[in-house]
Amino acid sequence: MKLNWGHGVAIALGCFMIFILSLLFMAGDTGGMVTENYYEKELHFQDEINAEKRANALTEKPEILVQANGFLVQFPTSTKDDFKGDIFLLRNEDETKDVKTSIRLNDKKNFLIPSVKLIDGEYELTLNWKENNQTYLIKKSIRWISQ
């Protein structure tokens, strides 16, 4: 059987389709959404912007210190008793490695995220708190390297 140019085009097209499909299956999981309730969060985006502006305007801001035993979040000594807050450490590559916890300050106005909860790599830290009926928000990238 003699092959003509039509057979060659069909073979080339078939090989190309097999190549594209193999790339698709080898790529595996390319990740998902960062958050499940994306549209709900979008509605409150202006509130987040306002909370960040209030946090940036503070004269005494909370400090995040990297220590051998974890991340130490140090709030100013002027922090009020009606304080409530949350810390969220987001790992972009795997949501099972995320850390979310409520903040319970000790006498020195500190809070420690222990190193046993942390895995080496980059975290997107979101620190939000409410004090004097005002919300505050700090977002920053932070890197953990176990020691």
Side-chain angles (χ1 to χ4, degrees):
M1 178 173 163
K2 188 174 180 182
L3 295 178
N4 61 18
W5 66 270
H7 291 106
V9 169
I11 291 171
L13 187 59
C15 289
F16 179 72
M17 288 177 16
I18 290 171
F19 172 72
I20 294 297
L21 288 174
S22 66
L23 283 180
L24 180 68
F25 288 115
M26 283 186 205
D29 183 22
T30 57
M33 293 182 69
V34 173
T35 180
E36 292 299 320
N37 40 352
Y38 174 78
Y39 296 108
E40 183 181 315
K41 286 186 97 170
E42 184 180 4
L43 296 174
H44 302 290
F45 191 62
Q46 186 60 45
D47 296 334
E48 285 187 16
I49 293 171
N50 294 339
E52 278 188 271
K53 284 182 182 178
R54 279 192 291 277
N56 288 334
L58 290 173
T59 54
E60 291 182 288
K61 298 176 183 148
E63 292 182 52
I64 294 104
L65 307 170
V66 179
Q67 297 182 335
N69 59 347
F71 291 133
L72 181 71
V73 183
Q74 191 170 5
F75 281 87
T77 54
S78 60
T79 303
K80 306 291 184 213
D81 292 336
D82 67 340
F83 173 89
K84 283 186 178 181
D86 294 311
I87 288 184
F88 184 54
L89 294 168
L90 172 78
R91 290 292 296 251
N92 289 328
E93 72 272 0
D94 187 3
E95 69 182 38
T96 61
K97 298 176 183 174
D98 292 351
V99 177
K100 183 173 183 170
T101 184
S102 295
I103 300 172
R104 289 177 214 82
L105 296 179
N106 60 17
D107 315 357
K108 298 178 184 176
K109 306 293 183 185
N110 294 340
F111 179 74
L112 179 71
I113 300 171
S115 61
V116 295
K117 291 185 175 183
L118 304 172
I119 297 169
D120 287 358
E122 194 79 23
Y123 285 96
E124 292 297 323
L125 179 131
T126 303
L127 170 64
N128 59 0
W129 73 97
K130 188 173 184 179
E131 184 179 10
N132 296 331
N133 292 326
Q134 293 287 324
T135 56
Y136 300 92
L137 177 69
I138 294 176
K139 289 184 177 182
K140 68 188 287 186
S141 247
I142 194 162
R143 185 168 196 70
W144 173 254
I145 299 172
S146 56
Q147 293 154 10

